[in-house]
């Protein structure tokens, strides 16, 4: 069994996060503790109401070890580093969340460092318009491997110097200092994973091999399993970048025979390797259906007997078997951002491109520019794009809708309020993004729908559903 919350001798000290919020953006605050490594759903949560003055208190009676948790209010979130017994106080103005977030009490120095690091290195403004598609064919030369290594080393040195200077002014606990140093290494390794993909795209050479340093950096990172157990953002970055930059864009595509060997070479015989395989099985179930996913699932079963990993995969496999072409699409009712009810059956007579997503899902958001272009392609035709958010926080969903490319004339949005809701369960959605095409008669098209970024394949699938 993959242990995300290990047992310990004796009672854990009470961990408390309390504080004050100016100009609240909602009535509640929450802590999300741990995430399922395959589905990314929170393992536990703690909620508290704000009082009339904007004060709150959240308690965790059994935090077993130091780890990253997620604090949420309104449409904003922040990573906190909590150690059992911390008595952490938080203050923030919800109108300027990142810029005003500040901590006092035990654990304050570590968490103020996380805020300072985010503002210095990670607070990147979002574009105001969708990016234009790159022209096809060869482009300008990208950085050489030597240039990329020098750039990475330079950025690492800047980050390490920032950590050293901060710790000189505000002493950091030994455990957190180790976490912060490791995080810099994880982020660097995650960034390196994008280098081959970006160079192939920029230079128009899809067969360009990945240089050795890309995966050498990955093999040098500290214990990934320990980082996963602590819910490290660095671990999440490596996993998501590997999925998007390496697996989803592999040339030639990975197979059930080659992937276990590849993952073992890059991650060793670790739980992280098995998580990567389980997550890829979920991707295959969503993208290609149970028939093509079955060899990958069988390979996963040979790699691990961990029910935490196998369970979501097996449940999705059984549910996907029910979705054969021509069957009626399960109906559901949701609320849109104005509170109006949205029913799938309202769109009978039109083709529906159904997109399950969430504001916290990086791969989902990466598909949105392509989805916006797809909507433009089918503007004025009988195609409806229905986006169903599985965000647990309404504020986070509504804030995401303000991002460019998510709304438009033929875009309809509904809030499903999590994976354990009728809409998500009806379509066996345990990982996202997930896509479906429903024809004019309300019947499911055979198999999972292509992603928006699949280009012509998605256009063809929609035209078939239109009867063209």
């Amino acid at each position: 069994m993959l242990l995300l919350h290990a047992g310990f001798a004796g009672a854990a000290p009470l961990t408390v996060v309390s504080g004050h919020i100016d100009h609240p953006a909602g009535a509640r605050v929450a802590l999300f503790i741990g995430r399922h490594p395959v589905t990314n759903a929170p393992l536990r949560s703690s909620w508290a109401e704000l009082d009339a003055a904007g004060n709150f208190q959240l308690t965790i009676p059994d935090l077993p070890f130091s780890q990253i948790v997620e604090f949420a209010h309104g449409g904003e979130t922040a990573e906190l580093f909590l150690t059992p017994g911390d008595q952490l106080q938080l203050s923030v103005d919800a109108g300027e969340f990142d810029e005003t977030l500040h901590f006092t009490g035990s654990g304050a120095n570590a968490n103020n460092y996380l805020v300072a690091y985010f503002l210095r290195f990670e607070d990147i403004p979002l574009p105001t318009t969708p990016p234009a598609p790159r022209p096809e064919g060869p482009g300008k030369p990208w950085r050489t491997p030597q240039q990329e290594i020098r750039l990475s080393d330079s950025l690492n040195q800047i980050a390490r110097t920032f950590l050293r200077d901060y710790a000189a002014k505000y002493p950091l606990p030994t455990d957190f200092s180790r976490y912060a140093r490791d995080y810099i290494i994880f982020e660097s390794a995650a960034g390196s994973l994008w280098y081959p993909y970006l160079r192939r795209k920029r230079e128009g050479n899809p067969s360009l091999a990945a240089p050795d340093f890309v995966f050498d950096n990955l093999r040098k990172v500290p214990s990934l399993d320990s980082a996963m157990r602590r819910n490290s953002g660095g671990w999440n970055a490596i996993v998501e970048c590997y999925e998007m930059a390496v697996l989803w864009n592999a040339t030639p595509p990975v197979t059930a025979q080659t992937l276990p060997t590849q993952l073992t070479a890059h991650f060793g015989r670790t739980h992280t390797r098995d998580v990567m395989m389980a997550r890829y099985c979920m991707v295959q179930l969503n993208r290609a259906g149970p028939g093509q996913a079955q060899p990958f699932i069988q390979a996963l079963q040979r790699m691990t007997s961990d029910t935490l990993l196998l369970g979501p995969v097996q449940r999705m496999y059984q549910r996907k078997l029910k979705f054969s072409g021509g069957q009626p699409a399960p109906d559901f009712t949701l609320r849109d951002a104005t509170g109006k009810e949205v029913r799938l059956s309202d769109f009978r007579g039109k083709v529906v491109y159904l997109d399950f997503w969430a504001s916290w899902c990086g791969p989902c958001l990466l598909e949105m520019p392509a989805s916006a272009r797809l909507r433009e392609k089918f503007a004025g035709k009988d195609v409806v794009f229905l986006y169903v958010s599985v965000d647990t926080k309404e504020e986070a969903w509504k804030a995401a809708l303000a991002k460019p490319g998510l709304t438009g004339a033929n875009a309809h949005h509904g809030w499903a309020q999590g994976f354990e809701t009728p809409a998500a369960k009806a379509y066996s959605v345990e990982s996202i993004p997930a896509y479906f095409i429903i024809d004019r008669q309300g019947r499911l098209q055979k198999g999972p729908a292509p992603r928006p970024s699949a280009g012509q394949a998605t256009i063809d699938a929609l035209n078939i559903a239109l009867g063209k």
Side-chain angles (χ1 to χ4, degrees), residues 5 44 100 128 267 284 446 466:
H5 296 283
R44 290 196 294 162
T100 61
T128 57
F267 295 97
Q284 285 295 103
K446 184 177 180 181
L466 282 169

Side-chain angles (χ1 to χ4, degrees), residues 147-225:
Q147 291 171 329
E148 182 72 13
I149 291 169
R150 287 196 296 272
L151 175 61
S152 178
D153 290 345
S154 175
L155 294 174
N156 285 349
Q157 185 57 49
I158 293 171
R160 289 193 296 266
T161 300
F162 182 85
L163 172 60
R164 183 197 64 202
D165 292 348
Y166 189 96
K169 292 181 180 180
Y170 310 101
L172 298 172
T174 301
D175 192 28
F176 178 78
S177 294
R178 185 182 305 110
Y179 169 85
R181 290 194 300 270
D182 290 351
Y183 182 88
I184 294 170
I185 298 171
F186 291 153
E187 287 282 280
S188 177
S192 295
L193 292 171
W194 280 105
Y195 174 78
Y197 171 77
L198 293 173
R199 189 176 180 190
R200 290 168 191 149
K201 294 290 285 185
R202 177 62 66 89
E203 298 182 0
N205 183 1
S207 62
L208 190 70
D212 291 341
F213 82 88
V214 172
F215 299 114
D216 286 345
N217 286 352
L218 188 60
R219 286 185 282 264
K220 292 175 184 176
V221 298
S223 173
L224 280 168
D225 286 353

Side-chain angles (χ1 to χ4, degrees), residues 273-309:
R273 176 202 68 168
D274 299 343
V275 168
M276 293 297 311
M277 189 68 183
R279 289 170 66 124
Y280 192 76
C281 288
M282 299 289 268
V283 169
Q284 285 295 103
L285 283 167
N286 274 325
R287 284 187 171 187
Q292 293 188 43
Q294 188 174 26
F296 291 94
I297 297 172
Q298 292 170 340
L300 173 65
Q301 291 169 330
R302 292 191 291 270
M303 293 167 68
T304 181
S305 59
D306 189 344
T307 56
L308 187 72
L309 307 185

